[in-house]
Amino acid sequence: MNEHDSERIAGLLTADGYVPTEEAADAEVVVFNTCAIRENADNRLYGQLGRLRPLKMANPRMRIVVAGCLAQKDRGLIQRRAPWVDVVVGTHALPSLLELIRRAEAEGPQMDVREYTEIFPSALPAVRGDRHRAWVSVSVGCDNRCTFCIVPLVRGPQRSRPLGEILAEVQGLAASGVVEVTLLGQNVNTYGRDLTVPGSGSRSRFAELLRAVDGVEGLRRIRFTSPHPHDFTPDVIDAIAECERVCEHIHFPLQSGSDRVLRAMRRSYRSERYLSWVRRIREAVPGIAFSTDIIVGFPGETEEDFRGTLRVVEEARFDSAYTFQYSPRPGTAAASFEDQVPKEVVQERFDRLLTVQERISLERNRAYEGRTVEVLVEGTGRKGGVQGRTRTNKVVHFEGTEAPGAFLDVVVERAHPHHLLGRPVPAWDRRGRALVAAG
Ligand code: SAM
Ligand code: SF4
């Protein structure tokens, strides 16, 4: 979501005549688009602002902007701690960015941290980092109140974009050479619940959205993130199974394998229900890859709770996992829970989880050895080779000269926990499959 918003910030500035620079000292405007999900993001912002201060002193025309979730959370504190910041622009106020910069030039420091999104950031011009893959926001905000999470406080309640607007964006992207879109929402399963469509009640329309996007000509791959296990529904499984362009990969955040901890997190599914979704999805979509999010050291997590997480991880056999050490966030319920877990205990559990997951990731990837996979080229990988991605979201490295946006078949030769090594199928062995270079 931050990358999506950063593309909009770049779009607004470019439309106003600014050009990018690699040198902070040359910049007329420096924008920090911030994240507040864990504490280290806070620390990093204030460190960066401190480093920028001498440049601002040497170049008083430089405007420093702090945008994003931390701007929404810290508000006036930012300019109190770093009075050389010119503009603080919250998550709902992005469309006013240029106006705020102009006002800062004339009147001094500005702040807009309004509480309601009137114009979706998606409606703003964008400068995308990638010509072939794009983020598409389907909703902003979240109606849940997971006790660890700051998102609802800084992004507000869920607001879905009308289906027609999303489709128009995707059609425009496909026409401009984009071959892969990732639909973004904090809880994509509840997409549309807040849209009042006469006669439709407040049902989720996510499966309908997937099917509509699947019909867009020119698109080759559709991804989405994140579905919440509590709101998951069988019609979404059917849509994944039936829609040709929807990729065989699902990011399905577990958070914890202990029912006691899930309850304390206010995540209203239980480990058995979670696992039964995993089984059903695998049955309907053979070969689908799973990734997940897991928090270690949530307040009150015991060794037994943690073993519950390891048990679910072993059973679910995720292809990959984003693992996080619990970080107390101001304003969230869990931050005031008394039984915070000591840092060294969290670290020890975190390391154990990582070891288990690395083993499983490697085992899952080994199943690819010897197989031919369709890869979308993303760019130059390490050691000068080519980096691409399978439909199942596996990163593949291989020797070649293919340009980003190209699709080709690659034989996987060797698996690592986080990537695969392969070699392109020679042109004479592609059995008539055309090498498609997009854009
Ligand atoms: N909406 C998504 C969901 O419900 O799964 C999560 C979005 S959140 C931006 C991404 C991930 O950050 C979460 O799934 C969670 O694992 C992690 N996270 C959120 N708050 C956290 C906290 N206070 N400490 C550690 N990890 C956190
Ligand atoms: Fe945060 Fe996701 Fe829970 Fe919403 S559903 S509160 S974004 S973790």
Side-chain angles (χ1 to χ4, degrees):
M1 193 58 93
N2 274 50
E3 281 183 33
H4 168 276
D5 289 357
S6 292
E7 291 177 346
R8 265 52 203 197
I9 292 171
L12 281 171
L13 292 170
T14 306
D16 204 44
Y18 290 94
V19 290
T21 171
E22 296 289 318
E23 280 299 321
D26 295 340
E28 281 176 47
V29 176
V30 178
V31 185
F32 291 94
N33 189 23
T34 59
C35 171
I37 199 84
R38 283 170 294 276
E39 197 176 3
N40 55 8
D42 285 36
N43 302 337
R44 280 218 303 269
L45 172 71
Y46 290 104
Q48 295 271 17
L49 289 175
R51 275 189 288 283
L52 213 55
R53 187 180 189 184
L55 294 185
K56 165 92 181 182
M57 298 302 136
N59 174 14
R61 288 198 57 224
M62 175 190 281
R63 302 284 159 243
I64 301 179
V65 179
V66 178
C69 291
L70 207 59
Q72 192 72 29
K73 166 184 158 284
D74 277 4
R75 298 158 179 255
L77 181 69
I78 295 176
Q79 281 154 329
R80 285 203 296 281
R81 278 181 73 174
W84 55 97
V85 169
D86 299 279
V87 173
V88 172
V89 55
T91 50
H92 305 283
L94 216 48
S96 310
L97 175 67
L98 295 175
E99 171 66 21
L100 289 165
I101 293 174
R102 266 180 226 121
R103 283 224 306 264
E105 273 157 18
E107 301 163 21
Q110 300 290 318
M111 176 169 79
D112 188 340
V113 287
R114 72 185 73 170
E115 294 287 350
Y116 187 73
T117 295
E118 276 152 32
I119 301 173
F120 284 101
S122 311
L124 305 173
V127 172
R128 298 177 193 270
D130 193 316
R131 282 176 49 219
H132 308 285
R133 298 179 303 150
W135 306 110
V136 174
S137 160
V138 305
S139 61
V140 293
C142 180
D143 290 337
N144 290 328
R145 284 291 180 275
C146 302
T147 54
F148 53 81
C149 185
I150 198 167
V151 168
L153 305 178
V154 288
R155 292 267 178 184
Q158 175 174 299
R159 280 197 63 206
S160 303
R161 287 174 79 196
L163 197 142
E165 212 177 273
I166 299 170
L167 265 187
E169 184 180 356
V170 175
Q171 281 157 350
L173 288 167
S176 72
V178 166
V179 286
E180 176 181 303
V181 293
T182 303
L183 307 178
L184 288 177
Q186 291 301 339
N187 181 358
V188 288
N189 300 132
T190 53
Y191 165 75
R193 262 192 201 167
D194 50 303
L195 293 173
T196 44
V197 177
S200 77
S202 62
R203 69 193 167 89
S204 163
R205 299 173 65 202
F206 186 59
E208 192 184 325
L209 174 66
L210 276 181
R211 288 181 191 279
V213 176
D214 191 56
V216 174
E217 280 301 312
L219 212 57
R220 293 276 300 264
R221 291 181 173 188
I222 300 166
R223 304 185 184 279
F224 58 90
T225 189
S226 295
H228 191 302
H230 171 66
D231 299 300
F232 206 74
T233 45
D235 61 339
V236 173
I237 305 185
D238 295 343
I240 302 171
E242 289 161 24
C243 294
E244 201 186 313
R245 295 175 170 106
V246 176
C247 289
E248 296 75 26
H249 166 242
I250 183 162
H251 184 70
F252 203 49
L254 167 68
Q255 312 301 359
S256 169
S258 153
D259 289 348
R260 210 182 61 79
V261 172
L262 285 172
R263 198 172 301 118
M265 287 177 162
R266 214 179 287 144
R267 299 280 293 187
S268 40
Y269 51 89
R270 299 294 167 254
S271 55
E272 198 31 59
R273 184 154 176 73
Y274 179 93
L275 285 168
S276 83
W277 278 125
V278 172
R279 285 190 290 270
R280 283 177 71 173
I281 297 167
R282 281 210 170 108
E283 267 165 36
V285 191
I288 192 167
F290 276 82
S291 55
T292 196
D293 290 344
I294 298 173
I295 297 179
V296 177
F298 184 80
E301 183 192 76
T302 62
E303 174 60 24
E304 200 193 329
D305 292 322
F306 176 67
R307 287 200 186 146
T309 297
L310 291 182
R311 208 165 36 242
V312 176
V313 166
E314 291 281 4
E315 207 165 317
R317 297 186 58 72
F318 300 114
D319 293 79
S320 61
Y322 296 91
T323 50
F324 306 106
Q325 304 195 3
Y326 169 71
S327 169
R329 305 313 294 129
T332 61
S336 56
F337 290 178
E338 278 180 358
D339 37 5
Q340 303 284 326
V341 182
K343 171 85 188 120
E344 46 310 343
V345 176
V346 179
Q347 186 67 50
E348 192 264 343
R349 289 180 190 161
F350 183 79
D351 293 343
R352 274 157 68 202
L353 174 61
L354 230 54
T355 307
V356 170
Q357 184 52 50
E358 293 260 309
R359 169 176 55 73
I360 296 171
S361 294
L362 182 58
E363 287 166 6
R364 303 274 308 159
N365 283 353
R366 284 223 167 108
Y368 280 75
E369 286 179 348
R371 277 175 47 193
T372 301
V373 287
E374 181 204 71
V375 165
L376 166 59
V377 174
E378 294 182 345
T380 311
R382 289 165 307 167
K383 298 183 189 158
V386 176
Q387 176 178 312
R389 203 172 286 263
T390 66
R391 285 176 62 96
T392 52
N393 208 34
K394 307 272 179 189
V395 170
V396 186
H397 293 281
F398 55 95
E399 293 297 320
T401 50
E402 283 76 11
F407 284 92
L408 75 164
D409 289 346
V410 172
V411 182
V412 177
E413 294 185 315
R414 198 173 161 76
H416 290 269
H418 303 291
H419 67 274
L420 306 169
L421 297 177
R423 93 186 129 72
V425 176
W428 48 265
D429 196 26
R430 277 184 200 138
R431 290 188 205 92
R433 283 203 206 187
L435 182 69
V436 180

